Every structure is written in C-alpha cells, then in structure tokens.
Amino acid sequence: MTQTFIVTGTDTGIGKTVFAAALAGALGARYWKPIQAGLDDGSDSERTAALSGLPIGHVLPEAYRLVTPCSPHLAAEVDDVTIDLDRLALPVVDGPLVVEGAGGALVPVTREILYADVFARWGKPVVLVARTALGTINHSLLSIEALRARGVQIHGIAFVGDPVEDTEATIAAIGKVRRLGRLPMLPELNPAALAQAFADAFDLADFA
C-alpha cells in the first residue's frame, strides 16, 4: 500500500513544517498542505519545497490559500471563502504522501469540523510533532487523547528541540505512543543539514 502520513502538532510554531519537509524529503514523497492560512511570510508549501530537496512537482498545490494568518475557520470567513470538505479529500499520488495540518490537532477547519475530525475521515496514520520545552507533556498528552477519542491512528511522536530525556520518555510511556526521534535545533537550516539531522535522529524503517 502507498505510504501516507499525516503530520500534526501539539501547537503552532513548534517545527512541524520543518519535520514534515524532512520526512517528505527522506521518503521522496509528495507533500500536501490542504489549507494555508497566512501568506505574508510565504507558505508552508514554499518552505517545504526549499528545505526538502524534493523534485519540482512533488509539492502539491493547496486546496485553499487564505490570506489572513489565523485559524483556517476564521481566515476563510475573513477572506469570504467557504471551505468545502470534499476539496480536502486526500490526493491520489504515485508513491508516498506527507500531509501537513495547521497548528494543533484541534484547530478548527470550519465552525463545525476540527482537523482531528478530518484526520479521522482520512483514516491514515498521524505523526504528532511536539516541542521539548516546558509544557509539552500536557500539550502532547491532551493531543494524543483528542486524536484517540476520534479513532485516529497515531503512528508515533516526533520531538523538535533540545534533548529533554525525561520529558520525551514520559510522554511516550504515559501516552503509549512510539517515540520516533527528535530533530535538534539546527544552527543553519538548509536541505543538506536538515536531511542529515533527520537521518541521524530517525530510523526510516519506522516509516516503512
């Protein structure tokens, strides 16, 4: 079966896009960000294209590109756009697919539907990305519970940040999730450095 991994996070601004770019690059996957909200600083698709080393065409166009940098449900309202869930069906691609959500698992897509609800519809495994800083145990365990409450399969948890062994081990043990690895904070973020950091920190066999 074709590998499909959904990448979500415990919060916004924690390195989820960097991890998604690294995973997509390592797998030689297609990458898809269904909804981009906020364009002033560029899009996550553009960042992924720049960081992943993927061939042209492997970064798929978003279903929605919203101008306002906020939760998709509100960004759509501000932009006078109606989000149609049918347009969020997973694309059919040749080979692996990495799909990135927005912010955390319970970010609203519309006034009625959260990202975790969309993940449940897709029925594909989710990789939860978490920072290692103070507060991440609570955020991570809440995210795990929210995903499981909707029947979402959690493939594992990937950390981003400086090593905090007890925190990482505690989340994996209490949350009963596979600890996939940890991306360090890189002094220089470029495709070569990111690919090497991913190769050093993760076992690609865990994504087979």
Side-chain angles (χ1 to χ4, degrees), residues 5-131:
F5 294 104
I6 314 303
V7 177
T8 190
T10 58
D11 202 349
T12 190
I14 60 169
K16 174 169 52 64
T17 298
V18 174
F19 172 80
L23 177 60
L27 293 175
R30 266 69 172 181
Y31 165 92
W32 187 48
K33 173 95 174 186
I35 304 173
Q36 172 69 41
L39 298 171
D40 288 346
D41 298 323
S43 70
D44 290 338
S45 294
E46 291 164 348
R47 294 185 192 97
T48 296
L51 288 173
S52 64
L54 290 172
I56 293 174
H58 275 229
V59 176
L60 307 178
E62 303 93 336
Y64 294 95
R65 287 175 61 89
L66 305 172
V67 175
T68 307
C70 60
S71 177
H73 79 289
L74 182 57
E77 292 175 0
V78 172
D79 291 0
D80 196 24
V81 171
T82 299
I83 293 178
D84 181 354
L85 295 181
D86 288 340
R87 288 184 61 185
L88 302 184
L90 290 175
V92 177
V93 300
D94 181 16
L97 175 67
V98 172
V99 182
E100 183 186 354
L106 295 188
V107 165
V109 174
T110 69
R111 290 285 172 181
E112 294 79 29
I113 300 292
L114 308 175
Y115 260 105
D117 300 320
V118 176
F119 301 158
R121 291 180 179 216
W122 287 340
K124 300 296 183 181
V126 165
V127 176
L128 179 63
V129 179
R131 59 195 175 96

Side-chain angles (χ1 to χ4, degrees), residues 3-6 19 23 26-27 96 98 125-128 153-159 177-182 198-208:
Q3 301 159 296
T4 297
F5 294 104
I6 314 303
F19 172 80
L23 177 60
L27 293 175
V98 172
V126 165
V127 176
L128 179 63
Q153 176 191 348
I154 302 174
H155 184 74
I157 187 163
F159 293 98
V177 292
R178 173 165 40 177
R179 184 176 168 187
L180 296 167
R182 178 186 56 82
F198 185 90
D200 291 343
F202 293 87
D203 185 350
L204 202 56
D206 286 337
F207 300 93

Side-chain angles (χ1 to χ4, degrees), residues 143-160:
S143 299
I144 290 166
E145 287 201 8
L147 291 167
R148 287 208 173 116
R150 290 162 174 80
V152 176
Q153 176 191 348
I154 302 174
H155 184 74
I157 187 163
F159 293 98
V160 177

